[in-house]
Amino acid sequence: MHNAIERSEGTAKVAAIIEFVKVHYHFDTEASIKHGEAGLKLLDRFANETQASKLHSYLAKAYFAFGDLSRANELAKTALAIAQQSNNAEGQVLALLINADIESRRNNLESANLLTESAISLATSIGHESHLATAYRISGNLNSKIKDYQAALADYLYSLDLFQKLNKLSGVASLHQRLASLYRKMGLYEKVLLHKNQAIDNALALNDERNLAIYYSNMGTYLEEVSDYERSIEMHNKSLHLKEKLGYELGVIHTYNRLGSVYRLVGDYRKAEESLLNALALKKTLDRPDPNVSTFLDLGRLYIKTGQLALAEDYLLKSIPLYQGSRWEDRIAEIHHAFAKLHLQRNHAKQAIQSYLLAIDVAKAHERDAWLIEYYAELSSIFEEQGEIGQALEYLKAHNELKSKWDTINNQYQIRALSIEFDVAEQKREIANLTQQNQIKDLELKQQATRQLFIFISLLLVFSILSFAYFWRSKNKQLKVKQTALKLVSDAKERLAFALWGSGDELWDWDLQSGVITRDNQARDLRLPNEYIGTDLEKIKSVVHPDDFAHLQECFSLHLQGEIDFYEVSYRVMTQTGDWLWVLDRGKVTARDEDGAALRVSGTIKDISQIKASELALAELNATLEQRVEERTISLQQSRDELASTLDELTTTQSSLLEAQKMASLGRLVTGVSHELNTPLGNSVTASSVLQEELAVFKEKLEASKLTLSDTKSFIEVSLSGTQLIESNIGRAAQLVKRFKHASVHEYVSSATTVQLKEFIHAMVTHNVKGAGLSVDIDCHEEIHVNCDTQALGEVFEDLCKNSLQHGFKNKSGTIHIGVHADDDGLQLAFSDDGVGMDSEARPHIFEPFFTTSRSEGNVGLGLYMIFNLMNFVLDGQINYRDSPEQGVTFDITLPLSIIQR
């Protein structure tokens, strides 16, 4: 169909576009929208109200399938207005039906119902059974939405009967599919499988791969509901194969979601995750307003099953805004139900109960009784386990009452369905009987009239035979001659018509005596007058461009006077839209009287607007080409010089910044080292000075023989105190030097060991916070083993714990939480506490050496600097600080996936 669009022109191109959008609007939506919008632009040049109404309607369907309801509504209303203006009843029905579909999607059910009733009435009046069948199908959809299942069933059965009479197997298959969905809502599962199989059989008979892909998918969903998981997977795989073959990406996402759900139910979690991640990856490539939104919910359910609760919670939270305000808003109940399961795995019974209550509220609001029955039963069991027998009995009673009501309604549905099916069949039999009786009566009347006329006809027959025989011989030869002549004329006209159609030319013949002009293959978009135009060119002056009319009149007059053999003029003619179109008019006198005056002129008119446009464009291009080349050359030279200058400036600036950064880092390092060593060295110098002074005094008294016992004791006490002070400060300086040396990864000796990550983290953290009154929460899968430098990893957790104890909790109680999960970027660890947090001024400097907010308490400021070095240069990972949404701090750690032992 793409080739047909490319090859055709004018109204034929518009017709090809309409056919493409009509067939592909659902499965190749984006291409349909692209061609449809191009078709709307073509309609501006080739005005055709019938085509305009159809194209607007089918393009509205494409936008409807794409999810852009605003644009779909605009196009559908325009289609209806065009059809009403042109009194096109069939176009009105089509536009009414798409408007009804849009209003139904917007849940404006009353408006949708009025539009559908109007479509049914109009389709009945014009006898358009195909549109009538579609209208009853839409009416069935609306009644199904408001849960009037009896009316919906009657509408569907009537629509099915019409499609069967029209022998439209695609419509028949669609109705079987809808009947299956309706019976599924009514709980009549034995009928669901029957109609689904009939839908698939019809699609196979038509070799309709598009609808077959959908029917296989729907069958797979049904088999999942009845727990036939093996056949469900088989159906979904068949659907996936066809959708991938057709390039139906939105359908592929849906099938991956359903496969993920079924694999989860059978316990094949690896395939379930693979299918859902495939859906997620494909969804990211689509730019659609309404991509399938169940992927996050299904991933959340899967990770609850596999025990990855933090990941499950993340996906469930992401899924809620996708469903809010959508046509699937009722499924928020399923999200709350999944949260309840998650809380139960964490042994948080109270939170699970709250989630169940939220799920029940949503299910009630959307009248999802089947879900309510399940939630009541599960909530009753939880209350019983918690020892709240009264609440357990209350929800068990609600479950039993709703289950009884559900069973009663399903039984009523079954009885009513049988009644409606019987009524429809009875109506068919009555119509057939009435038709047969009418045929019999018509036959009797015809026989009676035949007998009455037989005698009269017999009398006339004798006379007619004699008359016919008399004239036969005389007329036979004349008739043969006329037939031969007419046949030749007909063949000539047919060949001429095909020739004109092929060339696109208009043939005109002007009788100058009567003033009547005849046009064959006339271009509908030109305003050239037809039939009577008089004996001169004044009649067409108003539709010929003022600049061209004088030249046309001059050439036409010269030919009529016999000065030139024929005339050939290019001029502009006004179109129906008020634009100007270039034509080539060639004419010649075909009859003159005895005096040489022209009696008849014939000629052709050809559309040369594209040729003229090319000529004008070429002339304009030639006139400006040299100037544009020169301007472009100058512009490129200027841009090149500016870029070279800018590059030099950037290179110089970069070098300056690197030097400044190096000097700043060196300055901070020297300042930090000098500041930390200054105190113990200064104390040692002071103590040494005091000792020298005391020693000098002691020596003077000794030499002067004035030394007393008290002087000796005092000297000894001062000496001991001074030496102790010198020794402790020199020891502190030595420890600082050792710590500075330890902060350098060049002095670090690496050794790799394999450990179970959760046990390792638990051992390291509990050892470092022992006796501090802190609680530790570690969310890490038991099966994760890593091979890395565990000494370095242990020091990371040791320093993080010390950082939380000294700065976050200030020796008060609190909680440290560590979460671990793996993704495509690596092994992700999140270390967080709920302490006092960190000032915004300190955050940019936390990984710098010698930076601390509590130097007065004896802290050096090398802890986070050492962690940064170990993570980046020993463990080949990364560490980043992240603000906590409430309080405390969070450090995100990323380690390479290669350390995980499979």
Side-chain angles (χ1 to χ4, degrees):
M1 285 191 175
H2 287 289
N3 293 334
I5 293 173
E6 293 297 328
R7 288 194 304 267
S8 54
E9 294 182 357
T11 55
K13 191 180 189 76
V14 177
I17 289 172
I18 291 171
E19 188 62 24
F20 180 91
V21 179
K22 177 181 178 182
V23 174
H24 296 89
Y25 72 88
H26 185 73
F27 290 90
D28 198 355
T29 308
E30 293 183 12
S32 297
I33 289 173
K34 177 182 176 183
H35 285 306
E37 291 291 352
L40 291 181
K41 293 179 181 178
L42 283 174
L43 285 173
D44 294 337
R45 293 175 53 201
F46 306 99
N48 184 317
E49 291 179 330
T50 301
Q51 286 186 331
S53 176
K54 281 186 178 180
L55 182 56
H56 279 83
S57 290
Y58 289 125
L59 186 55
K61 285 191 172 188
Y63 276 107
F64 181 80
F66 187 72
D68 189 346
L69 295 186
S70 177
R71 178 61 173 155
N73 184 51
E74 176 188 345
L75 290 165
K77 292 190 181 305
T78 303
L80 183 58
I82 293 171
Q84 289 173 338
Q85 182 178 352
S86 60
N87 200 25
N88 180 0
E90 183 179 345
Q92 289 181 53
V93 176
L94 180 61
L96 285 168
L97 293 175
I98 182 60
N99 274 285
D101 267 338
I102 293 169
E103 292 301 310
S104 176
R105 174 70 64 84
R106 289 177 161 180
N107 285 324
N108 298 331
L109 300 184
E110 184 177 352
S111 176
N113 190 49
L114 290 173
L115 290 165
T116 305
E117 288 178 355
S118 298
I120 289 173
S121 175
L122 188 55
T124 303
S125 66
I126 65 175
H128 200 300
E129 292 189 332
S130 179
H131 282 339
L132 187 61
T134 303
Y136 272 108
R137 183 181 64 195
I138 295 174
S139 178
N141 296 343
L142 293 172
N143 285 320
S144 178
K145 270 196 168 186
I146 63 175
K147 296 192 175 183
D148 189 351
Y149 296 146
Q150 291 175 259
L153 181 58
D155 287 334
Y156 282 153
L157 289 173
Y158 186 61
S159 179
L160 176 63
D161 184 50
L162 287 172
F163 278 126
Q164 286 173 335
K165 286 180 180 178
L166 295 167
N167 198 28
K168 292 185 69 172
L169 289 183
S170 59
V172 171
S174 173
L175 261 298
H176 280 303
Q177 187 65 30
R178 293 179 186 276
L179 282 166
S181 298
L182 181 62
Y183 283 128
R184 178 176 159 203
K185 291 179 180 178
M186 297 169 73
L188 307 179
Y189 285 98
E190 68 279 0
K191 293 182 179 291
V192 174
L193 190 59
L194 169 66
H195 286 285
K196 283 189 178 292
N197 281 326
Q198 287 181 336
I200 290 173
D201 290 343
N202 284 327
L204 285 170
L206 288 169
N207 195 24
D208 184 358
E209 292 183 336
R210 296 174 174 179
N211 282 318
L212 191 59
I214 295 174
Y215 299 160
Y216 278 143
S217 178
N218 291 339
M219 176 67 88
T221 303
Y222 163 73
L223 293 170
E224 176 187 347
E225 288 185 354
V226 297
S227 302
D228 190 349
Y229 300 131
E230 184 177 351
R231 288 187 61 207
S232 175
I233 292 171
E234 178 188 352
M235 290 294 112
H236 283 311
N237 280 325
K238 286 184 177 181
S239 175
L240 181 63
H241 171 72
L242 290 174
K243 288 173 179 176
E244 289 177 336
K245 177 182 176 182
L246 295 166
Y248 181 30
E249 293 178 325
L250 197 63
V252 171
I253 291 173
H254 174 77
T255 301
Y256 273 137
N257 286 337
R258 299 320 315 145
L259 278 170
S261 176
V262 181
Y263 281 131
R264 171 175 57 82
L265 292 172
V266 299
D268 193 342
Y269 300 143
R270 183 185 65 79
K271 286 187 178 180
E273 184 178 36
E274 180 182 347
S275 298
L276 292 171
L277 292 179
N278 285 339
L280 200 59
L282 183 56
K283 188 186 298 185
K284 290 179 181 178
T285 66
L286 294 184
D287 183 18
R288 292 286 294 271
D290 62 340
N292 193 290
V293 296
S294 69
T295 314
F296 288 159
L297 172 57
D298 289 327
L299 279 169
R301 288 169 165 170
L302 171 64
Y303 289 131
I304 290 172
K305 285 288 187 182
T306 59
Q308 296 169 269
L309 302 185
L311 200 55
E313 183 176 9
D314 181 52
Y315 277 116
L316 291 176
L317 288 172
K318 287 179 180 177
S319 68
I320 292 177
L322 298 178
Y323 284 109
Q324 287 175 335
S326 74
R327 52 188 168 132
W328 308 286
E329 196 168 26
D330 58 333
R331 297 199 66 186
I332 294 178
E334 294 186 78
I335 300 175
H336 290 308
H337 184 229
F339 267 117
K341 298 290 187 183
L342 185 147
H343 293 318
L344 288 175
Q345 282 212 28
R346 289 177 170 172
N347 294 321
H348 297 162
K350 290 184 178 179
Q351 294 181 18
I353 290 170
Q354 291 300 318
S355 293
Y356 268 114
L357 294 174
L358 290 172
I360 288 170
D361 289 341
V362 176
K364 281 183 178 178
H366 292 276
E367 299 180 353
R368 299 304 298 263
D369 291 344
W371 293 351
L372 282 172
I373 292 170
E374 178 184 0
Y375 301 162
Y376 284 151
E378 292 177 3
L379 188 54
S380 175
S381 298
I382 294 173
F383 277 122
E384 185 179 357
E385 291 174 2
Q386 296 298 309
E388 300 183 34
I389 305 302
Q391 291 283 5
L393 289 174
E394 179 183 345
Y395 281 101
L396 181 61
K397 179 181 177 182
H399 166 267
N400 292 335
E401 289 177 352
L402 189 57
K403 183 68 168 61
S404 176
K405 178 184 175 183
W406 176 265
D407 292 338
T408 302
I409 290 173
N410 283 344
N411 291 333
Q412 291 174 352
Y413 282 151
Q414 189 165 9
I415 294 169
R416 291 170 182 171
L418 290 172
S419 175
I420 291 169
E421 289 171 356
F422 177 79
D423 289 342
V424 171
E426 189 65 25
Q427 288 176 4
K428 288 182 181 179
R429 285 193 292 271
E430 288 179 2
I431 291 170
N433 288 335
L434 289 172
T435 302
Q436 186 176 7
Q437 291 174 10
N438 289 334
Q439 289 175 347
I440 293 171
K441 289 180 179 179
D442 288 342
L443 183 59
E444 290 175 351
L445 290 172
K446 287 179 181 178
Q447 289 175 347
Q448 184 177 357
T450 301
R451 286 194 298 269
Q452 292 174 353
L453 292 174
F454 180 73
I455 298 172
F456 178 71
I457 292 172
S458 299
L459 294 173
L460 289 177
L461 184 60
V462 176
F463 178 77
S464 298
I465 291 172
L466 295 174
S467 300
F468 183 74
Y470 177 78
F471 286 102
W472 175 256
R473 286 183 176 273
S474 61
K475 295 294 182 180
N476 191 37
K477 291 183 179 182
Q478 186 178 356
L479 287 172
K480 286 183 179 181
V481 172
K482 287 183 177 180
Q483 287 174 352
T484 302
L486 289 172
K487 182 68 168 61
L488 291 173
V489 171
S490 176
D491 292 343
K493 285 185 176 181
E494 186 176 358
R495 287 194 297 271
L496 178 60
F498 275 113
L500 291 173
W501 173 80
S503 65
D505 294 347
E506 172 187 317
L507 177 65
W508 54 267
D509 181 62
W510 187 2
D511 187 346
L512 296 177
Q513 290 181 302
S514 63
V516 173
I517 189 169
T518 303
R519 300 182 185 275
D520 293 324
N521 198 40
Q522 182 179 5
R524 295 184 179 179
D525 54 346
L526 297 181
R527 290 191 180 181
L528 288 172
N530 203 353
E531 298 180 354
Y532 182 80
I533 66 169
T535 58
D536 54 33
L537 295 175
E538 289 298 319
K539 187 72 173 179
I540 68 170
K541 184 176 181 180
S542 60
V543 297
V544 176
H545 197 281
D547 295 342
D548 302 332
F549 181 78
H551 181 52
L552 170 63
Q553 191 173 40
E554 178 184 2
C555 293
F556 185 77
S557 299
L558 289 174
H559 176 56
L560 291 186
Q561 295 166 12
E563 296 185 19
I564 54 178
D565 293 334
F566 63 94
Y567 79 92
E568 180 176 296
V569 185
S570 298
Y571 56 92
R572 286 161 287 183
V573 180
M574 186 178 291
T575 65
Q576 299 292 343
T577 59
D579 298 323
W580 296 103
L581 189 71
W582 278 99
V583 297
L584 175 63
D585 191 355
R586 304 176 77 246
K588 184 178 178 64
V589 174
T590 57
R592 294 182 183 272
D593 61 12
E594 295 177 354
D595 298 327
L599 300 177
R600 181 179 295 274
V601 186
S602 299
T604 60
I605 291 178
K606 185 179 186 66
D607 179 2
I608 60 168
S609 55
Q610 292 184 351
I611 296 173
K612 280 290 184 181
S614 299
E615 290 176 355
L616 292 172
L618 183 59
E620 182 180 356
L621 180 63
N622 288 333
T624 61
L625 182 58
E626 185 175 347
Q627 180 183 353
R628 287 162 60 191
V629 169
E630 184 177 354
E631 290 175 353
R632 183 61 175 164
T633 302
I634 294 171
S635 175
L636 288 174
Q637 289 175 346
Q638 291 175 347
S639 298
R640 183 193 62 190
D641 295 341
E642 290 174 359
L643 286 173
S645 175
T646 303
L647 181 60
D648 291 340
E649 291 177 3
L650 286 175
T651 303
T652 304
T653 303
Q654 185 180 26
S655 300
S656 300
L657 287 175
L658 287 173
E659 288 299 324
Q661 188 175 10
K662 288 179 182 178
M663 295 304 296
S665 298
L666 181 60
R668 285 196 297 271
L669 179 61
V670 171
T671 301
V673 172
S674 62
H675 181 272
E676 293 300 328
L677 291 177
N678 185 57
T679 300
L681 292 178
N683 291 338
S684 299
V685 170
T686 301
S688 176
S689 298
V690 171
L691 278 174
Q692 285 180 351
E693 291 176 1
E694 289 294 325
L695 183 60
V697 172
F698 182 80
K699 182 180 179 182
E700 288 177 4
K701 288 183 178 181
L702 179 63
E703 291 175 350
S705 300
K706 296 180 179 181
L707 187 66
T708 65
L709 179 62
S710 61
D711 291 335
T712 304
K713 288 181 179 180
S714 174
F715 174 72
I716 292 171
E717 288 176 359
V718 170
S719 298
L720 289 173
S721 175
T723 54
Q724 287 176 356
L725 182 61
I726 291 171
E727 182 180 1
S728 65
N729 278 280
I730 291 175
R732 174 170 170 76
Q735 288 295 325
L736 286 172
V737 171
K738 182 180 179 181
R739 190 161 177 80
F740 300 156
K741 183 178 180 181
H742 193 54
S744 173
V745 296
H746 299 293
E747 302 294 331
Y748 192 86
V749 180
S750 176
S751 60
T753 310
T754 300
V755 295
Q756 185 191 42
L757 187 57
K758 185 173 183 179
E759 290 182 357
F760 176 78
I761 295 174
H762 185 269
M764 293 302 302
V765 175
T766 54
H767 172 73
N768 284 286
V769 302
K770 186 176 180 180
L774 300 181
S775 60
V776 179
D777 178 21
I778 301 175
D779 184 4
C780 177
H781 201 281
E782 299 284 353
E783 298 179 359
I784 298 180
H785 290 74
V786 298
N787 180 265
C788 66
D789 190 325
T790 52
Q791 181 182 352
L793 187 61
E795 288 187 20
V796 169
F797 281 105
E798 178 181 351
D799 284 350
L800 286 174
C801 291
K802 288 180 180 179
N803 195 64
S804 292
L805 287 170
Q806 294 174 4
H807 301 284
F809 299 116
K810 303 290 186 180
N811 299 320
K812 297 181 181 179
S813 62
T815 301
I816 291 177
H817 176 80
I818 301 173
V820 182
H821 74 275
D823 58 22
D824 294 340
D825 296 326
L827 183 64
Q828 307 292 341
L829 297 88
F831 182 99
S832 61
D833 65 42
D834 57 358
V836 298
M838 187 181 300
D839 293 338
S840 58
E841 297 177 356
R843 292 168 191 165
H845 309 290
I846 59 174
F847 293 117
E848 295 178 3
F850 305 108
F851 176 80
T852 178
T853 58
S854 55
R855 193 175 302 279
S856 62
E857 299 174 10
N859 292 317
V860 180
L862 290 175
L864 289 177
Y865 174 66
M866 291 176 62
I867 291 173
F868 181 84
N869 284 344
L870 290 172
M871 286 305 306
N872 284 274
F873 304 111
V874 177
L875 295 170
D876 293 329
Q878 293 180 347
I879 182 168
N880 294 291
Y881 172 77
R882 170 163 53 93
D883 289 333
S884 180
E886 296 179 357
Q887 65 178 10
V889 298
T890 299
F891 291 94
D892 291 325
I893 298 172
T894 301
L895 294 171
L897 280 175
S898 58
I899 72 171
I900 300 177
Q901 299 297 297
R902 303 294 181 181

